[in-house]
């Protein structure tokens, strides 16, 4: 499954503007043969928008989700994107995956909130593993800081995730996560990891870009630089199966020795 990563901060504060950016990128991704396009954390609204987060937050099945579904079905490409989700009086930092026919497949709420900014505006989710099937690939969702906790990613590995899609808002000076940690996470858990970042300055934050898709061999299949970009790479479930057969990390585990860690 060809996977496209949209490295962009979009139009912070403008849902309409961000839907236009997503629409244009979906067209380019589909033309390149992609079956999935992933956009960054909080792409729908912008990240550093303060109290506008609560104002712009929508239900998982709200008007913006319908608009994304229309974009997906019109271009024939599945879309994963970050957004602020409202559930009654609670706001979550969420990511949703919508299929190429416009069906809502999975919705994930960020479980590990980063810093005072996020803790001031969001409630943490409580479901660590959210998965769905897409084009013969078991796809899992996670958001930014979540991937930095090895237990989190290992839970996906044990649940059979082939491709972990991670919308992110990775900021300076933590670029080592994109450069080093993501390939290691992919290797130690025998999966593909698609880490798609915002880029440029937004409010008090400077996002570092460097979006990457790493394979279960620990090799980055594609990596963006520090400007807005659309990069693509292929996810091969047969390669995942062969890699898991050759690399015994998951089968050689001895949970009885380190159960106290969790």
């Amino acid at each position: 499954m060809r996977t496209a990563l949209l490295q962009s901060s979009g139009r912070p504060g403008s849902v309409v503007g961000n839907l236009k950016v997503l629409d244009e990128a979906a067209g380019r991704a589909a033309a390149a043969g992609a079956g999935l396009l992933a956009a960054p954390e909080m792409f729908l609204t912008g990240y550093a928008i303060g109290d506008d987060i609560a104002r712009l937050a929508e239900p998982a099945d709200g008007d913006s989700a319908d608009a994304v579904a229309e974009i997906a079905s019109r271009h024939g490409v599945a879309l994963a994107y970050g957004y602020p989700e409202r559930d009654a009086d609670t706001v979550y930092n969420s990511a949703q995956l919508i299929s190429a026919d416009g069906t809502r497949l999975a919705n994930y709420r960020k479980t590990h909130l980063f810093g005072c900014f996020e803790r001031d505006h969001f409630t943490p989710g409580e479901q660590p593993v959210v998965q769905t099937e897409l084009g013969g690939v078991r796809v899992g969702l996670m958001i930014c800081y979540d991937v930095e906790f090895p237990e989190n990613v290992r839970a996906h590995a044990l649940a059979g995730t082939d491709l972990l899609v991670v919308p992110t808002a990775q900021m300076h000076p933590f670029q080592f996560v994109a450069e080093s940690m993501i390939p290691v996470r992919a290797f130690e858990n025998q999966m593909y990891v698609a880490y798609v970042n915002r880029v440029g300055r937004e409010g008090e934050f400077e996002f570092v870009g460097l979006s990457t898709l790493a394979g279960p061999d620990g090799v980055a299949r594609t990596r963006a630089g520090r400007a807005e970009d659309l990069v693509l790479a292929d996810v091969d479930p047969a390669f995942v199966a062969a890699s898991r057969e050759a690399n015994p990390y998951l089968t050689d585990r001895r949970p009885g020795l380190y159960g106290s860690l969790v």
Side-chain angles (χ1 to χ4, degrees), residues 42 46-56 117 121-122 202 205:
M42 292 286 287
Y47 181 90
I49 59 173
D51 291 340
D52 280 348
I53 289 173
R55 181 177 65 84
L56 296 175
F117 177 82
H121 292 284
F122 300 107
E202 186 180 333
F205 306 111

Side-chain angles (χ1 to χ4, degrees), residues 41-189:
E41 180 177 6
M42 292 286 287
F43 183 77
L44 194 62
T45 60
Y47 181 90
I49 59 173
D51 291 340
D52 280 348
I53 289 173
R55 181 177 65 84
L56 296 175
E58 294 186 30
D61 60 353
D63 291 344
S64 292
D66 289 344
V68 174
E70 190 279 328
I71 292 170
S73 59
R74 177 157 42 82
H75 292 290
V77 61
L79 299 176
Y81 65 100
Y83 74 107
E85 178 193 355
R86 177 171 295 283
D87 185 356
D89 293 329
T90 304
V91 176
Y92 299 96
N93 184 338
S94 296
Q96 183 150 232
L97 175 60
I98 294 179
S99 74
D101 66 4
T103 302
R104 292 176 52 245
L105 295 178
N107 189 70
Y108 170 79
R109 296 166 173 173
K110 189 173 186 178
T111 54
H112 296 75
L113 301 180
F114 179 78
C116 296
F117 177 82
E118 291 192 8
R119 288 191 287 269
D120 285 346
H121 292 284
F122 300 107
T123 295
E126 296 295 334
Q127 186 174 355
V129 177
V130 172
Q131 299 171 313
T132 189
E133 294 290 331
L134 183 68
V137 176
R138 182 170 287 273
V139 178
L141 294 174
M142 194 171 280
I143 299 174
C144 197
Y145 194 39
D146 291 329
V147 80
E148 298 178 36
F149 293 82
E151 303 90 344
N152 241 21
V153 187
R154 181 52 54 86
H156 269 274
L158 297 177
T161 294
D162 300 316
L163 168 62
L164 185 61
V165 177
V166 188
T168 191
Q170 184 64 65
M171 57 198 68
H172 178 81
F174 305 110
Q175 51 266 28
F176 70 89
V177 175
E179 294 171 336
S180 302
M181 185 181 291
I182 296 306
V184 170
R185 286 286 180 269
F187 180 72
E188 69 189 3
N189 290 289

Side-chain angles (χ1 to χ4, degrees), residues 115 131 163 181 218 232 236 243 258:
Q131 299 171 313
L163 168 62
M181 185 181 291
L232 298 98
D236 181 1
S243 186
Y258 34 80

Side-chain angles (χ1 to χ4, degrees), residues 232-244:
L232 298 98
D234 291 330
V235 170
D236 181 1
F239 184 78
V240 174
S243 186
R244 288 172 179 166

Side-chain angles (χ1 to χ4, degrees), residues 154 158 248-256 258:
R154 181 52 54 86
L158 297 177
Y249 270 165
L250 299 181
T251 55
D252 284 354
R253 293 170 62 251
R254 296 182 61 192
Y258 34 80

